Amino acid sequence: MHSKTILIVDDEAPVRDMLRVALEMADYRCLEAENAQAAHALIIDEKPDLILLDWMLPDVSGVELARRLKRDELTASLPIIMLTAKGEEDHKIKGLETGADDYITKPFSPRELVARLKAVLRRAGPSTPEEPLTAGGLVLDPVSHRVTINGNPVEMGPTEFRLLTFFLSHQERAYTRTQLLDHVWGGNVYVEERTVDVHIRRLRKALTIDGHERYIQTVRGTGYRFSVQTVERV
């Protein structure tokens, strides 16, 4: 059983230290960020199970970051607990209205924090299902790391595997190259947009069995979409 990963977002190092110690004692893995930009990169790269998010952050506030995460379908279900020194009722309501799952006012005891965190994680349920992903005769098994088409094994590189996993998890939606870079390559990796095109070509080549490469469609002016509803070429 892997321990859950918690991202602590607070611009005060002593607060992050206190939270990290309390959570590590409760057997959680901790990541830390001091601002919204660093937090977003870690969310993309590490995919934490929950965020402890301070209300007051430099540049972009915690409330604004929470609002952005809840607007993005790829992070909308990520549980968020807001942390703040403000105890007024209207601040609590505003935090919850952004989509935060819970709200804790400083100071709080480590026992209270861990109890509230466990409750939110329980409600959130499993975030990474390990069921095979399918489309037509295409099957991707994330546990065994195998891909087959109509029972025939398909060989592909690790980047193409991650790209296909993303597409199968988000079918029938168009994504820009920038979005694909963020969610497949990660927010801290510098890769040019044209690199996406190279890996799309490799993935299409790997899926040529029984014409499955046609599921990866170019969307003019946007990027790419994975769809089993293929369009006839004229």
Side-chain angles (χ1 to χ4, degrees):
M1 182 77 177
H2 296 291
S3 57
K4 298 282 188 182
T5 299
I6 311 299
L7 173 58
I8 301 166
V9 188
D10 196 300
D11 60 329
E12 297 181 41
V15 175
R16 294 199 306 273
D17 291 342
M18 181 271 289
L19 292 169
R20 188 189 69 252
V21 169
L23 293 175
E24 286 179 347
M25 286 180 67
D27 201 30
Y28 291 103
R29 172 177 175 254
C30 293
L31 304 169
E32 298 180 37
E34 62 181 2
N35 56 48
Q37 184 178 357
H40 190 263
L42 282 171
I43 290 163
I44 297 301
D45 288 341
E46 299 284 344
K47 297 177 176 54
D49 298 289
L50 182 143
I51 305 175
L52 286 175
L53 180 58
D54 187 42
W55 176 288
M56 297 296 291
L57 290 174
D59 302 326
V60 178
S61 71
V63 171
E64 180 56 30
L65 175 60
R67 191 176 287 117
R68 292 178 186 179
L69 293 173
K70 293 300 179 180
R71 277 201 303 254
D72 186 338
E73 63 154 334
L74 299 170
T75 52
S77 60
L78 182 58
I80 298 172
I81 296 179
M82 299 293 297
L83 305 174
T84 182
K86 299 175 180 175
E88 293 89 346
E89 188 70 17
D90 60 333
H91 288 123
K92 178 176 181 180
I93 292 168
K94 186 174 179 183
L96 294 173
E97 282 177 346
T98 64
D101 299 84
D102 202 354
Y103 183 102
I104 302 180
T105 304
K106 300 173 187 176
F108 48 81
S109 73
R111 286 182 64 187
E112 178 194 4
L113 172 67
V114 171
R116 302 273 282 272
L117 187 143
K118 283 181 179 176
V120 170
L121 284 171
R122 245 191 333 265
R123 293 199 299 270
S127 57
T128 51
E130 297 182 336
E131 300 291 323
L133 302 168
T134 63
L138 175 64
V139 179
L140 182 148
D141 188 335
V143 177
S144 65
H145 219 266
R146 289 193 179 100
V147 179
T148 58
I149 294 177
N150 297 328
N152 299 302
V154 177
E155 296 298 324
M156 65 180 63
T159 302
E160 288 73 46
F161 185 88
R162 292 198 307 274
L163 193 54
L164 182 59
T165 302
F166 179 81
F167 276 137
L168 286 170
S169 304
H170 305 89
Q171 298 182 37
E172 306 298 337
R173 284 195 62 118
Y175 290 94
T176 66
R177 290 167 179 81
T178 302
Q179 287 174 317
L180 291 172
L181 284 173
D182 277 349
H183 295 289
V184 177
W185 277 260
N188 280 328
V189 179
Y190 176 75
V191 181
E192 291 186 357
E193 287 192 0
R194 71 181 121 183
T195 304
V196 175
D197 301 329
V198 172
H199 288 281
I200 289 286
R201 283 198 297 273
R202 289 179 185 170
L203 181 55
R204 280 175 171 156
K205 187 176 180 182
L207 298 179
T208 51
I209 299 173
D210 296 338
H212 279 68
E213 77 279 4
R214 69 186 185 277
Y215 291 168
I216 299 175
Q217 300 165 6
T218 301
V219 181
R220 293 188 80 130
T222 303
Y224 296 99
R225 170 183 60 221
F226 187 97
S227 174
V228 294
Q229 301 174 27
T230 54
V231 182
E232 291 294 327
R233 290 197 176 96
V234 206

